[in-house]
Amino acid sequence: MKAARVPKEKAEFVRKLAEKSKAKDRERLIIQKGDCVEIPIKDGFENLFSEYQIVEQKNPVFARKSNLYGVLKEKIPKEYRELIPRRYKIIGDIILIKIPKRLERFKELIGDTLLRIHTRCKAVWVDRGKEGMLRKPKVELIAGKGSETIHKESGCLFKLDISKIMYSLGNQYEKVRIVKMVSDDEVVLDMFAGIGYFSIPIARHSKAKVYAIEINPTSYHYLLENIKLNKVNNIVPILGDSMHITPEGFADRVIMGHLYCHEFLPIAIRALDGRGIIHYHESTPEAVFDRPIKRIKMAAEKEGKRIEILRFKKVKNYSPGVLHYVVDVYVY
Ligand SMILES: C[S@@+](CC[C@H](N)C(=O)[O-])C[C@H]1O[C@@H](n2cnc3c(N)ncnc32)[C@H](O)[C@@H]1O
């Protein structure tokens, strides 16, 4: 990334020239170096500044509103530009990005650029999806270092290791919605607690007692950390398989925050204290969009219960043709 090194007294004149001739690279800021300033210029405009020293900037400072596409479009051959990701996740001080296969050869450049844009971030990881029932992330470090971070959301702190645990940022509205519904005298069961995505905000914002079951020892470790970090004392953390260890007849509300958990519906229904609300999540192909309702009905009938569907809503697109739905159902 080039810049014209110009004595301070000429800086204003050269800046104007660079702006007028559209040679100035707006993604980078002008920086001071001793008695000179470095005015960032785009490739191909070097001749315009031939009376000044042209330098290759090792540590450019990017404009705060600069974006990955804006910076990279000058660095990556034309035919790849449209593939540059426009979006990525920032979890605490770590960036997670999906990179199309054809852009793999530029991954170091992408990582490096992101760290320069987001100067408070310490590492960039490629997100290659999640594996299995435990939703273990497949990730690769491409810039910086470190995988443990503390993410802040809705006034709660979530410590996690992004190389070991998934963090679903997209469900924030859903978490806030559930938290608002919980009253102080409730007993809540979180059957797939993870690091406390639902349990922590519920415990922070109400006096409800929350039983949080998690099968993965790493997630459970961070669940315990997050209970401490958020100073909540109304969560009962339980390490184990909710299929086998969920007690019966005690909960007012059950959260089933796993996308593939229909086989756990009978367990959730039995966990209710006779009646109560279940928040059931499912990833469902659009073609069979009412499958979650059918599955709930079937499970309830088998358990000799009746149901009233309170709400049936899409949370987000999950994959092409597949949606993430949530059903609020009153079971009695
Ligand atoms: C999808 S993640 C939690 C997501 C979170 N509820 C959210 O929406 O952001 C699912 C969690 O359920 C845990 N899990 C999977 N099967 C389980 C089981 N049988 N019993 C308890 N926890 C389980 C996984 O280890 C993982 O931490």
Side-chain angles (χ1 to χ4, degrees):
M1 294 188 180
K2 297 198 170 57
R5 188 169 283 169
V6 179
K8 261 189 199 163
E9 58 277 13
K10 293 224 171 152
E12 192 50 19
F13 169 76
V14 179
R15 181 189 66 79
K16 278 187 182 152
L17 169 72
E19 295 262 7
K20 249 193 178 162
S21 54
K22 298 203 167 32
K24 184 167 177 291
D25 180 357
R26 289 163 173 240
E27 301 295 338
R28 287 175 285 153
L29 297 180
I30 295 176
I31 48 179
Q32 200 173 321
K33 283 273 165 83
D35 287 339
C36 289
V37 293
E38 286 181 3
I39 297 176
I41 58 168
K42 296 182 194 162
D43 287 351
F45 284 89
E46 296 84 347
N47 285 345
L48 205 60
F49 307 92
S50 55
E51 60 185 291
Y52 306 105
Q53 187 191 358
I54 302 293
V55 293
E56 190 67 42
Q57 284 192 310
K58 282 208 187 85
N59 294 304
V61 179
F62 290 108
R64 204 191 288 185
K65 61 176 177 10
S66 66
N67 60 58
L68 187 63
Y69 180 81
V71 176
L72 283 186
K73 70 180 194 301
E74 303 294 330
K75 306 270 123 212
I76 283 182
K78 233 182 188 166
E79 62 268 32
Y80 296 103
R81 284 183 194 157
E82 281 320 304
L83 297 171
I84 298 172
R86 307 289 173 131
R87 296 197 321 190
Y88 42 87
K89 295 175 181 171
I90 301 184
I91 298 168
D93 54 3
I94 290 178
I95 298 170
L96 255 188
I97 185 165
K98 288 197 165 110
I99 296 183
K101 259 205 179 107
R102 285 182 57 213
L103 272 193
E104 277 285 326
R105 49 194 275 222
F106 302 106
K107 64 186 178 194
E108 279 84 15
L109 176 65
I110 292 173
D112 195 50
T113 307
L114 281 170
L115 280 192
R116 289 180 191 284
I117 293 173
H118 299 279
T119 46
R120 67 168 192 86
C121 290
K122 66 180 179 191
V124 183
W125 291 74
V126 180
D127 175 358
R128 301 194 200 283
K130 286 134 200 140
E131 281 177 311
M133 195 65 184
L134 301 192
R135 317 299 294 136
K136 194 176 175 327
K138 291 191 275 179
V139 287
E140 181 195 339
L141 181 68
I142 52 168
K145 56 180 174 191
S147 54
E148 193 176 76
T149 189
I150 297 179
H151 183 70
K152 200 170 176 183
E153 194 180 278
S154 314
C156 301
L157 300 172
F158 297 96
K159 191 172 184 182
L160 74 157
D161 185 326
I162 64 101
S163 68
K164 295 179 182 151
I165 289 160
M166 63 162 282
Y167 190 85
S168 37
L169 280 174
N171 301 354
Q172 197 173 343
Y173 171 80
E174 189 53 26
K175 290 168 205 159
V176 172
R177 188 181 77 82
I178 303 281
V179 168
K180 282 188 184 155
M181 293 168 78
V182 176
S183 54
D184 285 347
D185 56 353
E186 280 187 22
V187 175
V188 178
L189 165 64
D190 186 355
M191 282 179 89
F192 308 95
I195 61 168
Y197 307 99
F198 284 103
S199 294
I200 296 283
I202 291 173
R204 275 262 355 208
H205 299 292
S206 77
K207 292 191 179 111
K209 185 152 199 168
V210 186
Y211 290 84
I213 305 181
E214 173 52 46
I215 198 171
N216 178 347
T218 311
S219 301
Y220 182 76
H221 162 78
Y222 284 106
L223 172 64
L224 299 185
E225 290 270 310
N226 290 329
I227 290 172
K228 270 192 263 164
L229 208 56
N230 289 278
K231 301 185 175 71
V232 289
N233 54 15
N234 45 344
I235 296 181
V236 181
I238 303 163
L239 175 63
D241 184 340
S242 54
M243 180 66 92
H244 302 295
I245 60 165
T246 304
E248 294 189 3
F250 75 103
D252 300 302
R253 187 182 297 277
V254 179
I255 298 164
M256 302 180 74
H258 197 296
L259 292 177
Y260 308 94
C261 63
H262 67 277
E263 284 165 356
F264 292 72
L265 275 165
I267 309 289
I269 293 168
R270 278 179 235 151
L272 290 172
D273 184 9
R275 59 183 63 199
I277 292 173
I278 296 177
H279 304 283
Y280 171 69
H281 292 248
E282 186 178 307
S283 99
T284 314
E286 262 174 300
V288 288
F289 75 96
D290 59 346
R291 189 179 69 184
I293 308 272
K294 285 186 177 152
R295 282 177 163 167
I296 294 169
K297 266 192 188 149
M298 236 162 66
E301 266 168 31
K302 275 195 183 155
E303 294 300 316
K305 292 287 187 186
R306 291 200 283 171
I307 61 164
E308 185 187 334
I309 302 295
L310 305 175
R311 189 171 177 272
F312 174 38
K313 264 259 187 260
K314 169 185 149 182
V315 176
K316 59 176 190 267
N317 294 333
Y318 185 65
S319 57
V322 180
L323 304 177
H324 171 177
Y325 285 102
V326 61
V327 186
D328 295 352
V329 54
Y330 180 58
V331 180
Y332 59 103

